[in-house]
Amino acid sequence: METTVVDVPERGRFEVRVGERVVGLASYHVEDGTMALPHTEVDPSMGGRGLGTVLVAGVLDAVRERGLTVLPYCSFVRHYIQQHPETLDLVADEDKPRFGLATADH
C-alpha cells in the first residue's frame, strides 16, 4: 500500500496515510509566513516503520514549496531538522537559538 502525506487545512494538520488509513498527523498553524508545528503523532500500532519521518519530511517539503519558515515546537520535528541539516534553513535565523538549532556559524 502507498504511503502519502496529505495537507488537511480545514483540520489544521497534515496526515500520513497508508492506503486510505490515517496513521499519523502533524498539527500546524500558519501566521505571518511562518508555520508553527506544535505536535506530531503516529498510531503506536504502526510504530517503527519510519512513518513519522515520512510525515515530517512531507510537511517540511510543503513548507519549502510555500515559501514559509517553521517553528519546530514538536521535539520530533526538531530532531528531524537536526538530523537533516539541509532543512535547517526552514527555521528563521532569529528562531534557531530558541529551539536549540543555532549552528557554529550563526
Side-chain angles (χ1 to χ4, degrees):
M1 278 193 278
E2 186 180 8
T3 301
T4 55
V5 177
V6 180
D7 186 5
V8 187
E10 64 275 12
R11 299 189 78 177
R13 69 189 200 184
F14 284 84
E15 296 175 346
V16 62
R17 300 175 182 173
V18 175
E20 292 299 312
R21 180 177 169 210
V22 176
V23 296
L25 62 93
S27 58
Y28 72 88
H29 175 76
V30 177
E31 188 173 323
D32 298 327
T34 301
M35 182 181 287
L37 295 167
H39 178 72
T40 58
E41 64 182 74
V42 171
D43 182 333
S45 72
M46 299 295 284
R49 300 181 191 195
L51 294 169
T53 299
V54 169
L55 174 60
V56 173
V59 170
L60 295 179
D61 285 347
V63 167
R64 187 174 304 284
E65 287 170 13
R66 296 172 193 181
L68 303 173
T69 57
V70 68
L71 295 171
Y73 294 110
C74 172
S75 61
F76 189 85
V77 175
R78 278 195 310 276
H79 181 75
Y80 180 94
I81 291 170
Q82 288 169 332
Q83 297 300 310
H84 299 85
E86 70 277 7
T87 63
L88 192 59
D89 65 309
L90 295 173
V91 181
D93 286 344
E94 62 269 20
D95 292 324
K96 288 175 183 169
R98 172 177 172 189
F99 295 104
L101 296 170
T103 57
D105 58 333
H106 286 283

